[in-house]
Amino acid sequence: MILSGKEVSSALRAGLAAQVATFPEKYGRAPHLAVILVGDNPASQIYVRNKAKACESIGITNTTITMPADSTEEAVLAEIKRLNEDSGVDGILVQLPVPKQINTARIIEAIAREKDVDGFHPGNVAALWQKMPCMVPCTPKGIMKLLAHAGVDPKGKRAVVIGRSNIVGLPVAKLLLDANATVTMCHTRTVDLPSITRQAEILVVAAGAAKMVTGDMVSDGCVVIDVGMDHDAEGKLCGDVDYDSVAPKASWITPVPGGVGPMTIACLMENTVEAFLAKQK
Ligand code: NAD
């Protein structure tokens, strides 16, 4: 069965829009997300535009701050400081990757933790690993919502995650562990990957390697979550999973596009609303 992020995210966004519509009367204003885009990376420009559109459709105020590709780290840090101090801004994110002259870790650390709607700040990462209240990163959060929508309870299941990035692999493994799955993490140094993926009841693939997971690598009934956003030999958008050979074996599978991607943006909107509400207490 197809696990449609398009469908689940639409429902989530509709719920958020209804909630946000009540905010001006209750709290005097709508939530506000500020996005900093440094440089002119075409993919980043598309992501930023999609985030602005999502804000618009939900009623969240959006400011996109574009800075030239040769901006200094100091200039970006100054912009973040200004946004941190602006009480009318609830969420801040810097679109990654940033140009080489800018240190990504320093940028992420500079964002006020309570406004870090991406959930990348070291304080949020530490809190996640300590099971403390935190901003849950958007893509892993979206994956857990997709599993819940499919009625898949990770408890007691064997989950395999391919990829150990800070953005997807590591946090999604932690969320699965917290949901009582038994989690195995795989990466480029993993020996005999297929022997491990074939044990998976839940398989999350976040490797950035087009169609690397093929039908012979999954067992019947596996729930397959494809995080990848790649291009095949013909330049067509595809995931890390070879959909045609894997789908017949999977009990649930996320398509690319229309799977995890839309969930990431919807969860960013949810995190912005959460950051806003946390300030109203
Ligand atoms: P990354 O490059 O930071 O990490 C990739 C990880 O996969 C690494 O840990 C690496 O060891 C592992 N890996 C790579 N090739 C492998 C292989 N052949 N076998 C085993 N392990 C392998 O990437 P990331 O930021 O985690 O993103 C992963 C993919 O997910 C990319 O395609 C990215 O575009 C996509 N992505 C999608 C969304 C979304 O919203 N849909 C969000 C974030 C990332």
Side-chain angles (χ1 to χ4, degrees), residues 191-273:
V191 177
D192 196 3
L193 184 65
S195 72
I196 299 169
T197 54
R198 278 196 287 266
Q199 292 175 27
E201 293 169 279
I202 299 171
L203 177 63
V204 180
V205 194
K211 300 186 180 183
M212 66 161 290
V213 171
T214 45
D216 58 313
M217 293 170 69
V218 298
S219 290
D220 286 336
C222 182
V223 178
V224 181
I225 306 288
D226 186 356
V227 186
M229 281 211 284
D230 314 299
H231 290 91
D232 65 14
E234 284 96 52
K236 219 177 109 198
L237 188 66
C238 70
D240 288 346
V241 172
D242 178 38
Y243 189 89
D244 292 341
S245 65
V246 172
K249 299 181 90 175
S251 59
W252 288 97
I253 184 165
T254 57
V256 177
V260 175
M263 291 305 296
T264 299
I265 292 204
C267 288
L268 174 68
M269 298 298 111
E270 187 177 73
N271 281 356
T272 305
V273 169

Side-chain angles (χ1 to χ4, degrees), residues 47 138-140 161-170 185-190 193 205-210 212 226-230 238-240 256 259-265:
Y47 291 139
C138 305
T139 302
V161 178
I162 306 179
R164 54 177 165 179
S165 73
N166 288 336
I167 292 175
V168 190
L170 281 173
M185 297 199 67
C186 303
H187 43 79
T188 44
R189 308 288 172 90
T190 298
L193 184 65
V205 194
M212 66 161 290
D226 186 356
V227 186
M229 281 211 284
D230 314 299
C238 70
D240 288 346
V256 177
V260 175
M263 291 305 296
T264 299
I265 292 204

Side-chain angles (χ1 to χ4, degrees), residues 51-161:
K51 286 167 189 174
K53 271 193 213 157
C55 283
E56 218 171 280
S57 73
I58 289 169
I60 292 174
T61 307
N62 171 264
T63 309
T64 300
I65 298 139
T66 49
M67 301 182 71
D70 61 357
S71 299
T72 60
E73 186 175 301
E74 288 66 33
V76 180
L77 289 173
E79 196 55 52
I80 292 171
K81 185 169 183 284
R82 186 183 70 76
L83 295 168
N84 282 343
E85 288 167 359
D86 184 342
S87 61
V89 170
D90 308 292
I92 304 170
L93 77 82
V94 177
Q95 185 64 43
L96 300 179
V98 284
K100 280 193 293 292
Q101 73 275 13
I102 298 167
N103 181 309
T104 306
R106 272 204 287 269
I107 293 297
I108 290 173
E109 205 174 3
I111 296 171
R113 190 187 146 188
E114 65 279 9
K115 296 190 181 188
D116 166 42
V117 281
D118 263 339
F120 295 164
H121 187 281
N124 276 320
V125 175
L128 178 76
W129 286 86
Q130 291 168 352
K131 288 198 204 173
M132 308 271 285
C134 66
M135 198 72 81
V136 179
C138 305
T139 302
K141 189 180 195 183
I143 292 169
M144 298 309 285
K145 284 184 191 288
L146 283 173
L147 291 175
H149 174 80
V152 177
D153 181 359
K155 183 177 168 187
K157 295 209 168 52
R158 287 185 301 271
V160 173
V161 178

